Amino acid sequence: MSTASGELRTTRQRWWGRQPIGTLFALPYLVFVLAIFAYPLGFAVYIAFHDYYFTAPGVDVPKPFVGFDNFAAVLTDPQVLEAFRNIGVFLVINVPLTVVLSLVLATALNAGIRWAAAYRIAFYVPYLTASVSLVGVWMLLFSSGGLVNAVLGPLAPDPSWLVSSTLAMPTIALFVTWKQLGFYILLYLAALQSVPRELHESAETDGANAWQRFRNVTVPGVRATTVLVLVLAIITGANLFTEPYLLTNGGGPDGASVTPVLLIYQRGIQQQNPDTAAAIGMLLVIVVGVLSLAANRINRER
Amino acid sequence: MRRQRGTWVRYLLLTLAAAVFAFPFYYMVVGAFQESPTNTPDQLLPTSGWTLDNFAAIDSRINLIGSLGNSLIFTAGVLLGTATFGLLAGYAMARLDFRGRGATWVLMLLVQMVPFQLLMIPLYVQITRGFGLGDTYLGMILPFAINTTAVFIFTQFFRALPQEMFEAARIDGASELRILRSIAVPLVKPALTTVVLVTFIGPWNEFLWPFLITKDATLQPLAVSLANYISNVAQSTANPNGAILAGATTLAFPVVILFCLFQRYFTASNIGSAVKG
């Protein structure tokens, strides 16, 4: 009798685990993730491959499978191509600036400096502050009659920063570099603590100067973090929405700062074409994935 | 001698960078209290012209207090969901052996990888059309209701507690619910502080989702109504700059204060993905 119930107990334990109540504890989170992430993820793929449109509630119209039609439409749309090109311009400016500045500033901070906490706060606060607030401030600073142009005087660009088709995207790239830098500095600070001090010391005894030590000890020592910084900067850059929406007044001038996410919003929600919007979303994820893999690759090969 | 020069260069570099980082904040706060925020460098240290009119001006167009209230409800909803369900999930992941533990772990990692922008359209369809939650607080809160980074933080915290505490309680015949209530929850305070801080900035600063889901201006959080002011109202206002800066200051202030008070609780690993969603 007791062995039988003992056996039953072990089978039950093997299936439900030793504390089956854990399933109940984790259940709200599981339901949340399935409903808010997993299901919409599948739904996004479904929408992208169907002729999907919004209907009045309760009306059920066929939404036929159309294969790659939405992708074909998106890939031949000059505005979509321009949005991806704009992201390219953004990344070419933002990514190198981010990596170089955050590593240099983190190295300077790490060298045992007075008021390190105050510097850290100054660098970090823009990262924590709402984009909408900071965009408002930058918009005023960089407007035609703004403070930046007043300081530059005759050197001020004409047309001004945010209304110039060549400068709009670079200005956004500068803004995002400024806003995000503090976070990357913290990542590098954490990584720098794990670079062994002896390496620096022995390089110094071998007569390496500060630049040589930075180049040959610090940079290789934080390589794994550099990959992380690259990938995160690429993801952030690919997901731009608030900046072109507000800073350049909806991707202006004339689409020069339009981004894929801004297009997803305009196509999917304003113009009610969720199918092409979902296709742009999938393309964006593929592009980000490929770029992240490439960043990882380049770093491994060196 | 050379070393000394290196130190000078370092301080110069850091101070210069810190000035570039802090200046827009200075401009924002000073401009918010000025009759007309300056656009010329020689008036950057104003001695007169202080006023509170800018706050009144933006309040008359976007209802500052109402918007702040909406931001607070949005943020509080997310905090409540995360602190209860996130704590339960984190505790279970760290301390209990149950069916579906591995699957939950995989899902947690998946959530960190899926960009919100890909989910934007299907979530919008699902929540406004499927659930009929457009223009509601619940619809605003739902996609952020349980912060996955917070679940990770809770998991790490409970994992670091000594195993013997839990074993002893089990040997004494305490039920799992009782162990949770009398051992885990009373100890959780430090982790909870980190979780609240890390979770707070997400919904407070969030623009895209509440912007999509709310058409009704009386429901919009401050980030959305300020953005509307900047993109629509400002053009038709005579002198909008002071009002924009007053709104920006109001939105930025709570987070900056929280950060300065609880600086040591913010660490890089915590915050990275929290902001992502």
Side-chain angles (χ1 to χ4, degrees):
Chain A
M1 181 67 193
S2 69
T3 45
S5 85
E7 232 160 71
L8 193 69
R9 201 164 169 178
T10 47
T11 5
R12 209 181 62 191
Q13 243 185 35
R14 206 167 298 142
W15 176 250
W16 284 108
R18 269 176 298 137
Q19 286 98 21
I21 199 171
T23 310
L24 200 66
F25 287 177
L27 200 61
Y29 177 71
L30 270 173
V31 170
F32 167 76
V33 172
L34 290 176
I36 299 297
F37 287 89
Y39 175 73
L41 193 62
F43 194 24
V45 178
Y46 174 88
I47 294 177
F49 284 102
H50 287 75
D51 183 13
Y52 195 96
Y53 41 90
F54 296 131
T55 50
V59 184
D60 200 21
V61 229
K63 291 158 179 161
F65 177 76
V66 292
F68 285 94
D69 280 9
N70 290 324
F71 292 91
V74 159
L75 282 171
T76 51
D77 182 335
Q79 222 189 348
V80 174
L81 299 179
E82 181 166 23
F84 278 96
R85 222 176 13 247
N86 288 341
I87 285 298
V89 171
F90 175 93
L91 292 178
V92 164
I93 298 169
N94 169 268
V95 170
L97 263 183
T98 300
V99 172
V100 172
L101 287 177
S102 55
L103 182 54
V104 167
L105 288 174
T107 311
L109 265 180
N110 195 46
I113 211 144
R114 247 186 284 180
W115 313 299
Y119 285 120
R120 240 182 8 239
I121 292 178
F123 296 147
Y124 203 40
V125 163
Y127 177 73
L128 294 173
T129 307
S131 294
V132 175
S133 279
L134 300 177
V135 160
V137 178
W138 271 61
M139 206 179 70
L140 301 184
L141 288 174
F142 281 81
S143 66
S144 310
L147 188 64
V148 173
N149 281 352
V151 171
L152 288 175
L155 291 174
D158 179 41
S160 183
W161 305 93
L162 299 169
V163 289
S164 147
S165 51
T166 42
L167 287 177
M169 211 61 211
T171 311
I172 291 178
L174 268 184
F175 170 79
V176 174
T177 309
W178 173 78
K179 185 175 189 313
Q180 304 285 331
L181 206 65
F183 172 62
Y184 298 121
I185 291 175
L186 274 203
L187 284 185
Y188 271 127
L189 267 178
L192 285 171
Q193 326 252 285
S194 64
V195 178
R197 190 162 283 276
E198 297 82 57
L199 276 180
H200 279 283
E201 281 161 5
S202 62
E204 209 174 356
T205 16
D206 291 347
N209 63 28
W211 165 248
Q212 285 166 332
R213 271 178 289 144
F214 178 75
R215 182 75 195 73
N216 298 313
V217 180
T218 309
V219 172
V222 297
R223 185 150 287 168
T225 306
T226 304
V227 176
L228 184 65
V229 169
L230 282 174
V231 171
L232 289 176
I234 290 168
I235 293 176
T236 313
N239 287 338
L240 286 183
F241 174 79
T242 313
E243 293 79 7
Y245 179 76
L246 287 176
L247 204 54
T248 54
N249 203 8
D254 214 12
S257 62
V258 97
T259 60
V261 178
L262 190 67
L263 274 187
I264 293 177
Y265 162 71
Q266 288 172 343
R267 297 291 163 82
I269 290 162
Q270 282 187 322
Q271 299 163 17
Q272 310 259 303
N273 289 318
D275 45 5
T276 46
I280 298 174
M282 285 185 66
L283 277 180
L284 183 63
V285 169
I286 292 167
V287 168
V288 170
V290 169
L291 287 177
S292 306
L293 282 177
N296 205 355
R297 228 316 151 36
I298 290 170
N299 221 289
R300 212 167 2 150
E301 276 172 6
R302 272 169 55 201
Chain B
M1 193 59 208
R2 234 179 60 197
R3 192 165 272 274
Q4 199 134 36
R5 212 183 58 204
T7 314
W8 269 107
V9 170
R10 245 188 333 257
Y11 274 104
L12 192 71
L13 185 76
L14 284 171
T15 308
L16 217 67
V20 171
F21 272 77
F23 177 73
F25 284 89
Y26 171 81
Y27 180 81
M28 172 174 85
V29 175
V30 170
F33 293 98
Q34 279 287 302
E35 275 161 17
S36 54
T38 181
N39 278 324
T40 48
D42 53 339
Q43 287 161 18
L44 275 176
L45 293 163
T47 47
S48 62
W50 300 104
T51 176
L52 288 172
D53 287 355
N54 294 328
F55 290 88
I58 192 151
D59 185 50
S60 71
R61 301 306 290 267
I62 65 169
N63 187 3
L64 211 51
I65 303 297
S67 301
L68 268 177
N70 291 334
S71 285
L72 213 59
I73 293 173
F74 178 27
T75 308
V78 173
L79 284 178
L80 200 70
T82 300
T84 50
F85 299 128
L87 186 150
L88 276 177
Y91 173 72
M93 292 305 293
R95 282 287 157 206
L96 304 177
D97 171 47
F98 62 94
R99 184 97 200 141
R101 188 159 175 247
T104 312
W105 191 252
V106 172
L107 281 175
M108 280 168 76
L109 295 174
L110 178 83
V111 170
Q112 301 290 80
M113 284 187 294
V114 179
F116 180 76
Q117 281 71 7
L118 176 65
L119 303 179
M120 180 169 125
I121 294 291
L123 261 181
Y124 176 79
V125 175
Q126 189 186 350
I127 287 185
T128 56
R129 315 224 157 206
F131 301 162
L133 290 175
D135 270 328
T136 61
Y137 289 121
L138 193 60
M140 217 186 297
I141 293 166
L142 212 53
F144 304 88
I146 307 174
N147 185 328
T148 294
T149 306
V151 179
F152 274 111
I153 296 173
F154 280 128
T155 306
Q156 277 171 351
F157 173 80
F158 285 123
R159 226 174 238 164
L161 294 177
Q163 175 70 27
E164 295 79 38
M165 263 171 19
F166 294 90
E167 287 307 321
R170 266 178 210 136
I171 289 164
D172 289 347
S175 71
E176 290 303 327
L177 257 178
R178 181 152 181 163
I179 296 175
L180 174 75
R181 221 179 48 226
S182 333
I183 299 180
V185 172
L187 287 172
V188 84
K189 216 172 141 203
L192 195 63
T193 313
T194 310
V195 161
V196 167
L197 290 170
V198 163
T199 308
F200 183 91
I201 52 178
W204 187 269
N205 292 345
E206 176 66 24
F207 169 64
L208 181 53
W209 179 250
F211 167 73
L212 292 183
I213 200 105
T214 53
K215 299 265 175 297
D216 181 356
T218 59
L219 281 170
Q220 286 171 345
L222 187 53
V224 179
S225 50
L226 178 61
N228 283 344
Y229 183 86
I230 292 174
S231 64
N232 298 324
V233 187
Q235 274 110 343
S236 58
T237 315
N239 184 15
N241 294 6
I244 290 177
L245 293 177
T249 305
T250 314
L251 179 60
F253 205 60
V255 173
V256 174
I257 293 294
L258 269 184
F259 173 66
C260 291
L261 285 179
F262 296 98
Q263 212 228 113
R264 65 201 171 96
Y265 289 95
F266 283 91
T267 61
S269 56
N270 288 339
I271 291 180
S273 28
V275 173
K276 209 184 88 201

